[in-house]
Amino acid sequence: MKADLVLRNALIAQQAGLVDISVKDGLITGIKRQIRCEAVEEEDLEGAFVFPGFVDSHIHLDKACIMERCSICAGTLEEAVRETAKAKAGFSEEDVYQRASTLVSKAITHGTNRMRTFVEIDPRAGMRSFEAIKRVREDYAFAIDIQICAFAQEGLTQEPETEAMLDDALRSGADVIGGCPYTDADPAEHVRRIFALARKHDVDVDFHLDFSLDPGKTDLPAVIEATRMNGYAGRVTIGHVTNLSALDPDALSAIGKKIADADIALTVLPATDLFLMGRQYSSNVPRGIAPANLLSKLGVKTAIATNNVLNPFTPFGDSSLARMANLYANVMQLSRDADIDLVFDMVGSQAASIIGSRREVIVGRPADIVALDAANACEVVRSSALALAGWKRGKKTFSRPRAQLLKAAMITGES
């Protein structure tokens, strides 16, 4: 047998002990101990844990890294929307391209090889951000698959131009339609129009939803009903839904079963939700993160994602999903291995299923592989393990050598 690539001494979830992985023509051709074959290239992974790569199911590339252009005083959602709206009016296509490219590059080197990015399209942003992100999608396709969600951040019904622009974007390269009912003067009509655009172009829907701590202020029932009415089971995702964190166990179980029955997926955004929620509290500040781990056990397909990086929504971040998974597990006070493994799936296999991208490290599948400095999935989350290297269809896309402690540099008697 001949191979283009053999990765030696890897750990994978499906098998005990070290295995070798052979690749030919972009596909995995063998997984077993001590593969013997002629290979164009070999690499010793020295016990690294390998998997198909992290999946960021909710990120905003267009408005990343704009802290120097905005002010944060109140630290609220309303302020973040307002400050970003002012900033994006000055975005140029090249500006968005450069900032997005920087963040995508970081995401790749953190082990992410699939993502869904929202792109704001309205009279202030125009189509500039959309055109820039299409270029990023093309230029980085060697390492990452990017879905573009045409997004109405600031409402729809009060701004008819936005609806026409979203329609145009869906004709010219957008993969998904995104809505935000809580910023619209008529949330129910907003939901209806987003679904109408989705059906017109036969694309999936992804809503920013119920971004508050008030369970009584909710557009979730309207989204559940619209999902059923439009026959969109399995094609709708909701993000944030922070008011689920304020429900008692019985109420959470009841609404969780409704979400699961409608086959609606949920993405939680820990960094943003922690930063923006609970600003009205001076003590016992709530976390404001929807309990995705509990909802997953009720049958809801769940994911953890980055959302924003270095802007008024989240003035932190580096697009590391290992770090985001660690943050979620820590804040939600998870400790059992089974719960931690579920968190890993929420930045891996479950997130992949949400964006319609099934990948596995098995024979016959594409050789999309990321090696992590850990022994298993649980350790990845517990330690925010670094990504060491990645391959897309068998072609190496990045590398990060393990750090080395230079003991030889120690000199007796010096501090």
Side-chain angles (χ1 to χ4, degrees), residues 177-220:
I177 182 70
C180 191
Y182 59 77
T183 61
D184 201 298
D186 188 344
E189 178 63 11
H190 181 107
V191 170
R192 190 197 69 77
R193 293 189 188 187
I194 290 294
F195 270 99
L197 285 167
R199 292 189 62 178
K200 177 179 179 179
H201 295 277
D202 191 23
V203 296
D204 291 356
V205 177
D206 202 326
F207 284 106
H208 288 48
L209 202 67
D210 290 3
F211 205 177
S212 77
L213 295 175
D214 182 0
K217 184 180 180 182
T218 175
D219 298 308
L220 179 54

Side-chain angles (χ1 to χ4, degrees), residues 234-365:
R235 303 191 67 180
V236 177
T237 303
I238 51 179
H240 296 293
V241 204
T242 51
N243 61 3
L244 293 176
S245 70
L247 296 176
D248 63 48
D250 290 341
L252 179 68
S253 178
I255 191 62
K257 289 174 182 176
K258 290 180 180 179
I259 297 170
D261 288 345
D263 198 6
I264 293 173
L266 167 70
T267 301
V268 297
L269 301 314
T272 301
D273 298 346
L274 279 170
F275 180 73
L276 293 177
M277 291 295 97
R279 291 286 178 169
Q280 68 271 39
Y281 291 79
S282 58
S283 63
N284 291 327
V285 180
R287 298 184 183 98
I289 299 176
N293 53 301
L294 299 179
L295 291 163
S296 181
K297 293 174 182 178
L298 294 171
V300 180
K301 191 182 299 179
T302 55
I304 297 165
T306 297
N307 196 39
N308 282 289
V309 175
L310 299 175
N311 68 18
F313 293 88
T314 320
F316 311 100
D318 58 359
S319 69
S320 166
L321 284 175
R323 185 179 68 83
M324 199 60 62
N326 174 279
L327 174 64
Y328 177 87
N330 197 335
V331 170
M332 302 304 285
Q333 301 175 323
L334 304 179
S335 60
R336 297 187 306 165
D337 285 0
D339 291 332
I340 303 299
D341 284 340
L342 172 60
V343 170
F344 181 81
D345 287 343
M346 287 195 280
V347 290
S349 59
Q350 288 201 177
S353 67
I354 285 175
I355 68 171
S357 178
R358 177 175 171 265
R359 305 280 175 87
E360 297 174 278
V361 180
I362 60 174
V363 173
R365 300 294 293 171

Side-chain angles (χ1 to χ4, degrees), residues 45-121:
L45 297 184
E46 301 178 336
F49 176 70
V50 304
F51 78 122
F54 291 118
V55 181
D56 206 329
S57 59
H58 186 130
I59 192 169
H60 294 262
L61 295 177
D62 56 336
K63 57 190 183 187
C65 308
I66 57 169
M67 282 298 297
E68 74 282 357
R69 311 179 198 186
C70 304
S71 297
I72 300 178
C73 297
T76 62
L77 172 62
E78 294 75 17
E79 179 185 65
V81 171
R82 184 175 64 250
E83 285 293 309
T84 304
K86 290 190 293 185
K88 73 182 178 184
F91 290 176
S92 69
E93 181 178 329
E94 192 59 30
D95 165 46
V96 174
Y97 177 85
Q98 292 298 333
R99 288 185 288 102
S101 294
T102 297
L103 191 57
V104 166
S105 297
K106 287 184 177 181
I108 292 167
T109 58
H110 284 308
T112 297
N113 55 20
R114 283 152 287 169
M115 68 169 48
R116 173 181 289 177
T117 181
F118 291 79
V119 180
E120 295 184 20
I121 296 175

